[in-house]
Structures are given as structure tokens and as C-alpha cells.
């Protein structure tokens, strides 16, 4: 009897506690595109830290590398009046959404935590729209990362290639030994990611910006663009012309199974390899993609909060503060493969791959190149059109580099006319 009473009191207490915490927990729907096993772990860590603060993270994950699906779902949800409270949104797309007046301004959070003093200047610019902070940045990915299999390289006495000429020599050796040199996919965004790496290697950040940020027709016609296109075709040639369309985690698995000796991919692949049982600096190592050793081709992940329903505001602000706080930055980036967006992070606490990335990025805008594919360089419509054009060239061997350059030039002229308001379109480009 007594035992029963004690039990029921405990039951009541538990129910009360539960009710209390449920009351405190403001559920926030979080739309993002982190669905691979390692991405999931990083997202779960953020959700757990949010829960510690009484915020319930209601996961709305949309599969699709580089956020292709997530971008579309977000648009349709907003149009249907069903915007999530929090959304992964990166690069120029932040300005596009902010222009529509849909994003919560979080200046008070940024001010109180001194983001201005703590963040790298490039990050601060990315999250600021018309002098207001509208996004919380979480990590910087290095898109020009070369992963190589250490055992295969040691066995065949190959040094990590620093230039594309080195790469060709390494590729010949590997092929002769019956090993596929590079794991890659014909998926459009992955092809374009390889291409932006090739452009950077052929030129450097200044020309890269002229091509992908300014979308200058003269840059499209330049010999350096022709060389990058030609190199893309050579790389395709190594696979006998038949490249499968694999998702990026599949490409990482191909590399982990030793079916290929190298992989050029954003450093989000690093924890995916860890998940496959590969140990960094033992089984594999990172280097900058050939010809890009001095540069940092970046994709910065961030979250925005949708304004409109002010009941969510306290939790949204709490979440923004949490995401940029040092403990969360350290835990999350270690799991995600990216590096902290903060300049006061300690590189000594990072692994070799992250340390090289963070140190390169810290050198500033002169060595940084904004990834086209990952929305850092230009608006969504231009980006999609450029990716489609590069993909078309990649798939059809009859298209010459000169023809692809001509088509890119036509696209650029059209984009520029649109930016000048020739079609009465809203322009976010001119302000950047
Ligand atoms: C994001 C990464 C993500 C990758 C693959 C990039 O756009 O910045 O966080 O892991 O896409 O989907």
C-alpha cells in the first residue's frame, strides 16, 4: 500500500517534471540537408545541445547533396505559408530570402555575444544583409580537399600531388597498377564542384571571382576557362568515359573500400570516412586539391530563422546564440568535418585536415574563393544554370571547350542584363 502510494507520488512528480520541461521546450522545426550517417551525427549533436537549453529540435531533413532538394522544399513550404522556424540556408541565398523580408534579424544576439569581434570578416559579411545580422553561422567547409589513400600511395611510392601535372603522373602509376585514380560521380553538382576546383587551380581567387561572382563574359572566353574544361574532360577519360551518377556518400564509400586512390570532395567527407572505419593520417590523409595549395575554396554552413510568428522568437534567438557559442562550435565541427567560424578557435585542438583548412581561411579574402556550387558566389538561378551547362559539357564529349565557353558567355550576358533590371527582375547581385 505504502509502496503503491510512493509509486504514484513518484509517477505524479515525473508527470509534473515532464509537463514542466515540455512547457519549457519550444519546438522549432529545423529544415536542413544533412542526411548522410556522419551528417546525421552532427545534426543530432546540435539537437542535443538545443535540448539542454530547453529547445526541442523538430527535425525536417531533406535528402540531397549540396541541398538541392532542401532548397526546393523550402521554397514550396514558404509559398504554402508553412515556413519552418529554422532553416539551413547558405551564402547568397541568405540575401535572396532576406530581401523578401522573411528572415528574423538577430542583431541583439550577435551584439550581446560580440559576433563581430569573434567571427572571420568573410563570415560576418555572409550573414549580414543591409546592416542586419540574419543568419547564425556554424562551420566552414573546404571544398578544395584532396583525400588520398596512404597505404596505396606508400606502396606505389607516390607523393601527394601538388599540381595537376603531379596528379597526371600519379594517375598513370595508379592505372598501371590497376587502381582507379579518382573516385567521382557524374552527378551535376559534383561535376561542377570538380570544375570549380580546376578553375581555381588554373587561375587563382581573382580570376575565379571574375568568372563565378562577376560572371564576366570575358572570363568565360579566357584561355584559363578553356584549360579547366579540357582538364575536366581528361579526368573523365581516366574512367573509360563511363562515370556513374553516385551520391557523395557513395563516392566516399568507394574511396573507403580502396576502389580508388583519391577523391576530391569538400571536407564533409572526412567524418564519413571515419564512419567507414578509416583513420585520418593512418589510412588516409588530406591535402589541398592540386594547384590550390594556397587557396581556400569555401562553403559556409549557417541557419536562418523565419520571422512572422513571434511566439517562436525567444527560442529562435536562443538557438542562434547557441550555434555560434564556442563549445557548440568545437563539438559540432569536429563531427561535421568543417572548422569553426570563429577566429578565436584554437587550431592546436584541430586534426591535421581541419588545422590546414582553418589556417588557410584565416589568411583572409585574398586566398579565399567562394564556392559556386555551394551558393557562395552567385544567386540560385545563375548557379543552377551554370551547373547545368558544365554538366552538359561533361556528359557530351562532342561539345568542345570553345562551345561550352560560348554558351557560358551567353548565360553571363543574360544574367548581367537581368542584374541591370532589364527584365524588371529583383536584383540582389548589385548589392554584393
Ligand atoms: C554543405 C555541407 C554538406 C554538403 C553535402 C554543402 O553544401 O555546406 O554541410 O555536408 O553540402 O551535402
Amino acid at each position: 500500500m505504502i509502496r503503491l502510494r510512493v509509486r504514484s507520488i513518484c509517477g505524479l512528480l515525473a508527470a509534473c517534471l515532464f509537463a514542466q520541461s515540455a512547457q519549457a521546450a519550444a519546438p522549432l522545426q529545423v529544415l536542413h540537408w544533412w542526411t548522410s550517417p556522419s551528417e546525421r551525427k552532427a545534426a543530432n549533436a546540435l539537437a542535443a545541445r538545443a535540448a539542454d537549453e530547453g529547445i526541442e529540435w523538430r527535425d525536417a531533413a531533406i535528402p540531397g547533396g549540396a541541398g538541392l532538394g532542401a532548397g526546393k522544399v523550402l521554397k514550396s513550404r514558404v509559398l504554402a505559408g508553412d515556413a519552418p522556424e529554422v532553416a539551413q540556408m547558405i551564402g547568397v541565398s541568405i540575401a535572396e530570402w532576406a530581401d523578401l523580408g522573411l528572415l528574423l534579424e538577430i542583431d541583439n544576439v550577435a551584439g550581446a555575444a560580440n559576433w563581430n569581434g569573434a567571427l572571420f570578416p568573410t563570415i560576418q559579411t555572409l550573414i549580414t544583409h543591409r546592416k542586419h545580422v540574419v543568419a547564425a553561422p556554424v562551420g566552414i567547409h573546404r571544398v578544395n580537399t584532396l583525400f588520398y589513400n596512404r597505404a596505396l600511395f606508400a606502396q606505389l611510392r607516390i607523393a601527394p600531388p601538388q599540381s595537376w601535372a603531379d596528379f597526371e603522373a600519379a594517375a598513370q602509376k595508379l592505372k598501371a597498377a590497376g587502381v582507379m585514380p579518382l573516385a567521382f560521380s557524374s552527378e551535376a553538382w559534383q561535376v561542377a564542384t570538380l570544375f570549380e576546383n580546376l578553375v581555381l587551380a588554373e587561375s587563382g581567387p581573382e580570376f575565379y571571382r571574375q568568372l563565378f561572382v562577376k560572371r564576366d563574359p570575358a572570363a568565360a572566353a579566357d584561355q584559363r576557362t578553356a584549360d579547366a574544361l579540357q582538364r575536366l574532360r581528361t579526368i573523365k577519360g581516366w574512367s573509360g568515359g563511363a562515370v556513374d551518377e553516385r551520391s557523395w556518400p557513395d563516392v566516399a564509400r568507394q574511396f573507403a573500400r580502396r576502389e580508388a586512390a583519391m577523391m576530391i570532395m569538400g571536407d564533409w567527407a572526412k567524418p564519413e570516412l571515419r564512419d567507414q572505419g578509416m583513420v585520418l593520417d593512418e589510412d588516409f590523409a588530406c591535402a589541398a586539391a592540386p594547384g590550390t595549395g594556397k587557396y581556400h575554396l569555401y562553403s559556409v554552413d549557417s541557419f536562418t530563422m523565419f520571422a512572422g510568428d513571434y511566439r517562436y522568437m525567444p527560442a529562435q534567438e536562443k538557438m542562434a546564440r547557441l550555434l555560434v557559442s564556442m563549445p557548440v562550435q568545437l563539438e559540432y565541427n569536429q563531427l561535421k568535418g568543417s572548422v569553426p567560424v570563429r577566429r578565436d578557435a584554437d587550431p592546436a585542438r584541430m586534426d591535421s585536415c581541419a588545422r590546414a583548412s582553418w589556417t588557410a581561411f584565416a589568411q583572409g579574402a585574398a586566398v579565399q574563393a567562394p564556392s559556386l556550387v555551394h551558393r557562395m558566389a552567385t544567386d540560385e538561378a545563375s548557379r543552377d544554370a551554370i551547373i547545368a551547362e558544365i554538366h552538359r559539357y561533361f556528359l557530351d564529349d562532342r561539345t568542345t571547350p570553345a562551345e561550352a565557353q560560348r554558351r557560358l558567355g551567353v548565360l553571363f550576358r543574360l544574367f548581367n542584363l537581368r542584374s541591370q533590371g532589364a527584365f524588371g527582375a529583383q536584383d540582389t547581385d548589385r548589392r554584393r
Side-chain angles (χ1 to χ4, degrees):
M1 180 73 178
I2 291 175
R3 201 182 292 157
L4 248 181
R5 200 167 290 157
V6 170
R7 238 195 229 166
S8 60
I9 291 170
C10 287
L12 267 176
L13 254 178
C16 284
L17 282 175
F18 179 75
Q20 247 186 8
S21 65
Q23 216 179 23
L28 295 179
Q29 280 190 68
V30 186
L31 189 143
H32 62 88
W33 63 87
W34 293 333
T35 52
S36 82
S38 65
E39 288 178 327
R40 218 19 299 160
K41 283 186 188 155
N44 289 350
L46 291 181
R49 295 295 77 78
D52 294 345
E53 300 263 332
I55 305 167
E56 186 193 331
W57 167 300
R58 289 224 175 126
D59 206 78
I62 312 291
L68 252 63
K72 292 193 174 75
V73 171
L74 181 63
K75 260 184 211 144
S76 55
R77 283 194 58 172
V78 173
L79 284 174
D82 179 31
E85 287 75 56
V86 183
Q88 182 181 8
M89 199 180 278
I90 67 178
V92 176
S93 51
I94 298 173
E96 293 184 277
W97 284 102
D99 245 351
L100 300 172
L102 295 172
L103 303 186
L104 188 70
E105 291 170 358
I106 47 175
D107 300 297
N108 48 348
V109 178
N114 185 28
W115 286 7
N116 199 12
L119 301 180
F120 287 113
T122 302
I123 309 289
Q124 187 67 29
T125 308
L126 273 173
I127 59 166
T128 308
H129 184 67
R130 297 182 202 256
K131 302 206 170 107
H132 291 289
V133 176
V134 289
V138 285
I140 307 164
H141 276 299
R142 191 176 198 182
V143 181
N144 57 324
T145 305
L146 171 84
F147 295 89
Y148 61 93
N149 183 304
R150 292 195 70 219
L152 282 173
F153 269 45
Q155 197 183 316
L156 297 171
R157 295 175 193 278
I158 302 173
Q162 294 191 2
S163 65
W164 278 98
D166 291 351
F167 189 95
E168 303 264 346
Q172 299 302 348
K173 269 196 183 173
L174 287 159
K175 269 207 109 173
V179 181
M180 201 206 295
L182 190 68
F184 73 113
S185 160
S186 65
E187 200 182 4
W189 74 267
Q190 294 192 58
V191 171
T193 300
L194 186 54
F195 180 66
E196 61 184 33
N197 268 283
L198 295 172
V199 169
L200 187 62
E202 287 297 334
S203 57
E206 205 183 318
F207 178 81
Y208 179 99
R209 282 171 194 272
Q210 199 186 333
L211 186 70
F212 291 135
V213 180
K214 297 207 182 83
R215 300 158 315 183
D216 180 353
D222 194 282
Q223 185 56 39
R224 288 167 283 188
T225 305
D227 292 345
L229 285 163
Q230 190 50 59
R231 173 108 40 218
L232 186 61
R233 184 141 293 155
T234 310
I235 296 174
K236 182 182 174 188
W238 290 328
S239 58
V243 187
D244 294 343
E245 186 170 322
R246 300 162 185 261
S247 68
W248 75 263
D250 264 358
V251 176
R253 280 190 280 273
Q254 194 184 12
F255 174 81
R257 285 195 302 261
R258 297 181 96 199
E259 286 166 20
M262 292 180 272
M263 167 171 76
I264 291 177
M265 180 71 73
D267 48 11
W268 48 82
K270 182 180 61 180
E272 203 66 22
L273 297 177
R274 189 164 56 209
D275 237 52
Q276 295 287 311
M278 284 191 109
V279 178
L280 175 64
D281 294 330
E282 282 180 27
D283 302 315
F284 74 101
C286 289
T292 69
K294 289 188 290 213
Y295 311 134
H296 195 295
L297 181 58
Y298 62 86
S299 170
V300 178
D301 280 316
S302 46
F303 285 90
T304 55
M305 320 285 151
F306 274 84
D309 190 335
Y310 290 97
R311 278 174 309 166
Y312 293 107
M313 214 169 88
Q316 288 171 314
E317 291 186 340
K318 221 184 215 187
M319 174 86 99
R321 181 180 51 71
L322 192 71
L323 293 174
V324 181
S325 68
M326 188 63 99
V328 171
Q329 285 277 308
L330 292 177
E331 181 187 5
Y332 159 80
N333 281 297
Q334 207 268 336
L335 291 167
K336 185 63 173 61
S338 41
V339 295
V341 290
R342 305 181 63 112
R343 359 180 205 185
D344 52 357
D346 179 4
R349 294 181 62 180
M350 300 175 193
D351 66 41
S352 58
C353 190
R355 195 177 316 119
S357 165
W358 190 88
T359 315
F361 193 86
Q363 286 174 28
V367 303
Q368 297 168 355
S371 166
L372 166 84
V373 173
H374 298 279
R375 301 179 174 79
M376 302 289 132
T378 190
D379 65 278
E380 193 90 358
S382 310
R383 161 193 175 265
D384 289 352
I386 299 171
I387 293 178
E389 206 48 71
I390 303 299
H391 194 220
R392 196 155 104 165
Y393 163 81
F394 180 81
L395 292 181
D396 183 0
D397 290 343
R398 289 164 312 180
T399 308
T400 60
E403 176 58 13
Q405 286 178 281
R406 194 190 61 76
R407 287 184 192 161
L408 282 175
V410 171
L411 277 182
F412 288 3
R413 282 188 196 93
L414 277 173
F415 300 152
N416 294 341
L417 280 175
R418 193 192 53 194
S419 299
Q420 287 151 19
F423 307 124
Q426 262 274 354
D427 167 42
T428 47
D429 304 344
R430 269 174 302 169
R431 279 186 288 277
R432 282 190 299 276

